Amino acid sequence: MKVLCAHGVAFVRAYDGVMAYDNGNVIDVRANTTLSTENAIKGNVLVLGNSGVGKSTLINAVIGDTVAKTSFGTRGTTSELAVYESPTVPFQVIDSIGFEPSPIKSLRAVHAVRKWSKASAKEGHEHNKIDVIWFCVDGTAAKLFPETIRNLSTAVSMWRSVPIITVITKSYSKPDRELNVQMVRQAFAGQRVEKNLRAIIPVVAQTYVIDETSFVGPEGITDLIDETMKAMPEGMRGGEHDLMAFKLTRKRMLAQGLIGACVAAGATVGAVPIPIADSLVLSPLELGELHGLARLYGIDKDEDAKQFLDSIVQVGTASVVAHSAISTVKAIPGINIAASVLNAIVAASIIAALGEGAVIAFEQVYSGKRSVNDVTWVQNLMQEQFGEGFLGKVSGVAQASAAAGSAKDMREMIVELVKAAFMNRGE
């Protein structure tokens, strides 16, 4: 790794890791150790926005590892600029400290970016230049204050032609998204940086849990990646195959988070007095999971997708598989398990199998290997998903739960056992 110094500030490009500069020292954010290595040049994305806007969560969603610190409170999580990079990501992400309500603290954030900008303009430092800016705006806020735009304009004054993508984070409410986009356009109107505004992308960077059975699935991350790559200099846009593989990996990671939230909800809904096999109590949750995954993979935008989605639901609904699962568990010699626990296991397992099967199907369609018209194929896929292998996994979870006895939190244990049994595809 090469360390480049200017005016006492050290810069670093690493192939895999998380770097920062602080008082002239290059540090690894993960290991907190001084580093030095060589690296191929990638494009640079600078992330700016107010503290608490969700920059760290956004970076985690794009990079794929939990590398950006996240926290609650009034103070930003990053003390200086930090560079986040992974071999699978076609660009580096440079995280800045957030613009704070206090003018003095906001100046600190502006100064950090300007310091980076000046040093990267020096001869030999050209590969540290900023290629794209993500300007993060809180989707739950009702107003974008002029001083925030002024801070942005001042911080990036050296990058007069760099494209800006405004990312509307925490964009949970669909009705509010159009208003948020209008809010951003109005805030940029007449500002120097208006001409640099390339796109406005609403995102949900991770599954947002409203309560035990309600959630908002992730959206917009691959749209952001696409717009970012379009805005990059031509030589840094990467190959189409590599970009597709990168986006599939990101979608799979976000899908796993969504399925995990649904599995927890399934265990809650399942532990009701009404037997799962005799009710449609899971149907709203199943449909919510399926539609959330369909949105994530863009399947919901296809007009011909309805029959494809219906085929998944018809095979994977609780009424189809619950009787067999419950009968199989009850037939296990010597097993002693409460009806509510058995219901929770079966419900969570159905949700997990449905989600994993849908991800397999949606990935095939998204990558162009299958079409939404391949209804017979998806029916066979889901029948296999809920076949003997499914029953065996449910039995394994039931036996493990029975062996655990009166665990302090039986629901939490069931959720972890079901995830281990069904969600083992990884990234």
Side-chain angles (χ1 to χ4, degrees):
M1 178 164 75
K2 185 182 293 183
V3 179
L4 308 170
C5 298
H7 300 293
V9 179
F11 300 89
V12 62
R13 303 300 299 266
Y15 185 72
D16 184 23
V18 186
M19 269 55 62
Y21 72 86
D22 190 4
N23 297 324
N25 296 317
V26 181
I27 59 171
D28 183 324
V29 173
R30 287 183 184 139
N32 197 31
T33 55
T34 303
L35 301 172
S36 126
T37 189
E38 290 272 349
N39 171 46
I41 296 174
K42 292 184 178 183
N44 288 321
V45 176
L46 175 65
V47 187
L48 294 171
N50 287 342
S51 290
V53 77
K55 294 189 286 96
S56 296
T57 303
L58 178 67
I59 292 170
N60 289 340
V62 174
I63 297 294
D65 299 313
T66 307
V67 294
K69 294 183 294 182
T70 56
S71 69
F72 296 96
T74 58
R75 187 176 177 182
T77 59
T78 309
S79 61
E80 274 290 0
L81 297 187
V83 180
Y84 297 94
E85 184 173 14
S86 167
T88 61
V89 181
F91 48 81
Q92 295 187 132
V93 177
I94 302 167
D95 187 21
S96 66
I97 54 178
F99 299 137
E100 300 276 2
S102 161
I104 294 176
K105 291 183 178 179
S106 286
L107 283 174
R108 182 172 169 233
V110 170
H111 177 67
V113 175
R114 289 173 65 84
K115 188 164 60 171
W116 173 284
S117 303
K118 288 179 181 178
S120 63
K122 301 290 184 180
E123 184 177 354
H125 297 189
E126 294 85 355
H127 59 282
N128 282 300
K129 74 181 183 65
I130 304 301
D131 299 295
V132 178
I133 294 165
W134 290 347
F135 176 55
C136 296
V137 175
D138 190 339
T140 64
K143 190 173 182 181
L144 181 55
F145 292 98
E147 56 262 32
T148 303
I149 302 296
R150 286 196 291 270
N151 285 333
L152 167 68
S153 184
T154 303
V156 301
S157 58
M158 286 191 61
W159 311 110
R160 292 184 177 272
S161 61
V162 172
I164 296 173
I165 298 173
T166 296
V167 185
I168 302 175
T169 61
K170 308 176 189 178
S171 187
Y172 308 128
S173 170
K174 283 190 174 182
D176 286 344
R177 287 176 189 173
E178 189 174 335
L179 294 175
N180 287 335
V181 170
Q182 276 184 339
M183 174 183 73
V184 170
R185 293 200 183 281
Q186 289 171 0
F188 271 78
Q191 301 286 341
R192 182 188 62 78
V193 290
E194 182 182 14
K195 62 183 175 59
N196 300 74
L197 184 60
R198 178 67 62 89
I200 303 172
I201 310 290
V203 304
V204 179
Q206 64 182 12
T207 299
Y208 177 67
V209 178
I210 299 171
D211 56 35
E212 287 185 324
T213 58
S214 303
F215 53 88
V216 178
E219 289 189 63
I221 293 299
T222 52
D223 293 335
L224 174 60
I225 292 168
D226 284 337
E227 289 295 335
T228 301
M229 297 312 295
K230 287 179 191 175
M232 283 285 174
E234 189 170 345
M236 295 180 177
R237 292 177 186 172
E240 185 176 341
H241 175 77
D242 291 340
L243 186 58
M244 173 62 75
F246 168 55
K247 291 193 293 184
L248 273 173
T249 302
R250 301 281 62 74
K251 285 183 182 292
R252 193 175 304 156
M253 181 199 73
L254 294 169
Q256 292 293 307
L258 174 59
I259 296 169
C262 292
V263 166
T268 299
V269 171
V272 296
I274 305 171
I276 293 298
D278 299 329
S279 74
L280 296 177
V281 69
L282 277 184
S283 294
L285 186 54
E286 291 174 299
L287 291 173
E289 176 186 46
L290 186 62
H291 289 153
L293 291 171
R295 283 194 299 273
L296 179 60
Y297 284 89
I299 308 299
D300 63 321
K301 299 175 183 177
D302 194 314
E303 293 181 359
D304 299 325
K306 185 178 185 304
Q307 190 177 4
F308 189 82
L309 297 176
D310 286 345
S311 299
I312 297 176
V313 174
Q314 288 165 9
V315 177
T317 52
S319 58
V320 175
V321 297
H323 272 298
S324 296
I326 291 172
S327 298
T328 298
V329 173
K330 287 183 175 178
I332 299 172
I335 192 165
N336 182 18
I337 193 167
S340 61
V341 173
L342 178 55
N343 264 7
I345 290 169
V346 172
S349 298
I350 289 170
I351 293 296
L354 177 67
E356 289 296 302
V359 166
I360 295 170
F362 294 162
E363 283 187 354
Q364 291 289 304
V365 173
Y366 182 77
S367 59
K369 296 175 183 176
R370 291 283 180 177
S371 163
V372 291
N373 297 316
D374 292 332
V375 175
T376 302
W377 169 77
V378 77
Q379 286 175 333
N380 292 335
L381 169 67
M382 296 309 295
Q383 285 168 358
E384 181 180 346
Q385 190 76 359
F386 285 99
E388 290 300 318
F390 171 79
L391 297 176
K393 289 178 180 180
V394 172
S395 299
V397 173
Q399 288 175 303
S401 299
S406 56
K408 183 178 180 181
D409 189 341
M410 181 63 74
R411 174 185 166 279
E412 184 176 328
M413 183 191 68
I414 289 170
V415 169
E416 293 307 312
L417 288 171
V418 169
K419 285 181 179 180
F422 289 90
M423 299 172 63
N424 56 2
R425 296 177 63 232
E427 288 196 17

